Amino acid sequence: MNQPNLIILVLFYSRHGATRKLAELIAQGVESVPGCDARLRTVPAVSTVAEATEADVPAEGAPYVELDDLKDCAGLAVGSPTRFGNMAAAMKYFWDGTAAEWLAGTLAGKPACVFTSTGSLHGGQESTLLSMMIPLFHHGLMVMGLPYTNAELMTTSSGGTPYGASHWSGLDGKKTITEDEKRLALAQGRRLAETAMKLRAAT
Ligand SMILES: Cc1cc2nc3c(=O)[nH]c(=O)nc-3n(C[C@H](O)[C@H](O)[C@H](O)COP(=O)(O)O)c2cc1C
């Protein structure tokens, strides 16, 4: 019997588009695996002005994530730009609203990975990736990195780490994604989707 395609949620925040480009490559990697569909979703910005609220639907690009997306997915990739070496508040704010899903174990046992973008080369890619993993561990996700069998990890002179895909966007945010960064993002999406497929086959 034909099984329905697995949904892999690619959840990201991106203010200026660099992290979004990585998210799109990861989604492309996911969809290179037969039987897997990528679902691109973003989170609203947060404001220091308490009265400010976001519109219901983003004007363009990926829709805002809904809590049901966490239920629906068989795997999860989470991306955020570096903000002072950590994930952006918007992404942290989203996780802070997922207590019910944590209690219910909605994400427990699903594979996950993380990705990021920074303005400076040594401005905190690894610390951001590691800090983004923390809520994922609490949710019981099985967090995966990138193995050194991806040769680009040895050759990259920009982004790309064993903790997850990354991009060095430059101080003006205008650096294009390098070939190594691209290959690693695609590989990460593919690896996540293949793992979700293997887990389904094993149950
Ligand atoms: C408040 C703030 C803090 C930032 N902190 C860092 C940082 O610690 N290290 C760094 O390299 N870049 C930092 N940046 C730059 C962004 O991480 C970088 O421009 C990123 O590529 C933007 O991604 P986006 O295009 O997806 O929004 C910061 C930017 C802002 C606005």
Side-chain angles (χ1 to χ4, degrees):
M1 198 178 70
N2 276 350
Q3 288 184 298
N5 277 8
L6 291 182
I7 295 164
I8 305 296
L9 180 61
V10 182
L11 177 63
F12 67 96
Y13 177 70
S14 181
R15 188 80 178 178
H16 302 292
T19 314
R20 177 177 47 76
K21 280 188 223 148
L22 276 183
E24 287 165 358
L25 286 168
I26 286 172
Q28 208 179 309
V30 165
E31 300 217 325
S32 71
V33 177
C36 285
D37 293 332
R39 185 181 285 182
L40 269 171
R41 292 293 183 267
T42 189
V43 295
V46 290
S47 172
T48 50
V49 181
E51 288 79 15
T53 55
E54 283 290 328
D56 286 343
V57 178
E60 54 182 331
Y64 290 140
V65 66
E66 292 177 11
L67 292 171
D68 270 353
D69 292 320
L70 301 182
K71 238 183 259 167
D72 295 347
C73 74
L76 172 67
V78 178
S80 165
T82 292
R83 292 278 187 270
F84 305 115
N86 208 315
M87 78 182 96
M91 184 56 75
K92 178 66 165 57
Y93 188 78
F94 168 74
W95 286 118
D96 286 0
T98 59
E101 288 67 29
W102 164 68
L103 279 171
T106 303
L107 291 168
K110 298 180 183 180
C113 62
V114 291
F115 56 100
T116 192
S117 172
T118 60
S120 55
L121 183 53
H122 301 290
Q125 294 188 357
E126 282 91 343
S127 62
T128 303
L129 292 167
L130 290 169
S131 68
M132 268 195 293
M133 290 179 187
I134 294 171
L136 306 188
F137 283 122
H138 280 256
H139 270 280
L141 286 144
M142 300 198 291
V143 181
M144 314 184 328
L146 273 167
Y148 272 89
T149 45
N150 293 287
E152 297 83 6
L153 284 180
M154 281 298 201
T155 57
T156 182
S157 54
S158 52
T161 84
Y163 310 99
S166 59
H167 169 51
W168 172 28
S169 70
L171 285 184
D172 60 2
K174 291 202 172 120
K175 278 184 187 294
T176 50
I177 302 229
T178 66
E179 207 44 47
D180 283 342
E181 288 174 336
K182 179 180 171 184
R183 288 215 190 101
L184 289 165
L186 289 169
Q188 181 162 340
R190 199 162 47 243
R191 186 167 200 242
L192 179 64
E194 283 169 351
T195 304
M197 291 295 277
K198 284 180 196 161
L199 285 170
R200 177 164 74 178
T203 52

